[in-house]
Amino acid sequence: MPVAPDQLLRVPLLPVLAAQGLSVRRKTQLLPEPIGPREGRDGRGPRLRLLIAGDSSAAGVGAGTQAQALSGYLVARLAKHYAVEWQLEAATGYTTQDTIERLQGLSSQFDMAVMALGVNDVTRATTRRRFVERQTELLQFLTDTLGVRRLVVTAVPQMHRFPALPQPLAWVLGCQAARLDQGLQQVAANFPQARHLALDLPDDPTLAAPDGYHPSPKAYAIWAAEAARLLRQA
């Protein structure tokens, strides 16, 4: 497989990338995970056991409360049709491996799940091959052990569009994110329970949180609507 241009240029660009990475960490506003419940019951209708898991975006960073985050909007939409028993298992900084380890501590079974991972795998230089292996392990665990029958795997975000990231750092991370997402699509295609959700959001400043790195409540609402649509197709 030919080496991509960003991979060829990563070594000569390393001093610049390192300096920009440190600057982003120093200047970017650190937002907390939102307050609010991380499990509950809502709605009426057929029983639906829902799991939401992943990194800081799954945890809702960028929103003030869980009601304004992915979990809140998603549960609100599904509760119009189901008696939703939901659980959020997510944390800032989580990679795919971190999520696997966290979910292995669960004893519950779930009907549906929404995953949001990839950014931290990108920033920790996870290769596409290793990412595919870990995502395959994760989806296998979700479907075999936790009993998930309908699964939405959210695309690895388009990091080249993050307002907080300067060039060429945004370009390098964006290329790596795109490679990992291609691998994620490959993994999802191997599981009949899974659907890959690509969020191609417009260039609207109101869709980004103040840190320029996470979604805003408006973006979470769009994301939840699309995830609910895919889940209800089951």
Side-chain angles (χ1 to χ4, degrees):
M1 182 179 294
V3 179
D6 66 290
Q7 293 174 315
L8 286 172
L9 292 173
R10 194 172 297 174
V11 173
L13 285 174
L14 188 57
V16 175
L17 298 176
Q20 288 185 334
L22 289 173
S23 177
V24 168
R25 290 185 180 182
R26 186 172 58 251
K27 295 179 180 179
T28 300
Q29 181 181 357
L30 295 179
L31 299 178
E33 295 181 6
I35 61 173
R38 294 192 170 221
E39 61 181 350
R41 297 182 180 184
D42 196 10
R44 299 179 64 182
R47 183 189 187 198
L48 170 60
R49 298 166 298 177
L50 174 67
L51 172 66
I52 304 156
D55 57 23
S56 56
S57 61
V61 172
T65 69
Q66 286 296 339
Q68 301 170 312
L70 175 63
S71 64
Y73 286 121
L74 182 58
V75 171
R77 283 188 169 270
L78 293 175
K80 297 177 181 179
H81 310 279
Y82 307 96
V84 183
E85 300 173 12
W86 63 278
Q87 187 169 337
L88 174 62
E89 297 290 340
T92 299
Y94 265 22
T95 63
T96 303
Q97 185 61 41
D98 294 325
T99 300
I100 292 171
E101 293 171 3
R102 179 160 180 162
L103 297 185
Q104 286 173 340
L106 299 181
S107 58
S108 305
Q109 292 279 291
F110 298 93
D111 303 302
M112 298 184 182
V114 175
M115 297 290 114
L117 288 161
V119 167
N120 299 304
D121 293 278
V122 170
T123 58
R124 298 186 192 184
T126 303
T127 65
R128 171 174 168 162
R129 178 179 178 181
R130 187 63 178 137
F131 186 68
V132 165
E133 291 173 350
R134 289 172 176 168
Q135 283 287 329
T136 299
E137 181 182 354
L138 174 60
L139 268 61
Q140 198 77 57
F141 181 79
L142 287 164
T143 55
D144 286 355
T145 305
L146 299 186
V148 173
R149 294 181 288 110
R150 175 62 68 178
L151 171 62
V152 170
V153 289
T154 308
V156 180
Q158 299 174 337
M159 295 185 69
H160 65 283
R161 299 176 63 186
F162 282 13
L165 299 179
Q167 296 293 355
L169 181 63
W171 172 66
V172 171
L173 293 180
C175 290
Q176 180 66 1
R179 272 191 295 275
L180 295 196
D181 190 60
Q182 290 170 357
L184 184 61
Q185 293 178 55
Q186 171 191 329
V187 174
N190 292 329
F191 288 83
Q193 305 94 331
R195 295 293 182 272
H196 177 271
L197 172 57
L199 290 172
D200 190 15
L201 300 176
D203 289 322
D204 180 352
T206 65
L207 295 176
D211 65 354
Y213 203 80
H214 289 93
S216 68
K218 183 177 179 180
Y220 280 126
I222 297 171
W223 180 2
E226 289 301 300
R229 179 183 62 82
L230 288 181
L231 291 174
R232 291 205 65 225
Q233 286 180 357

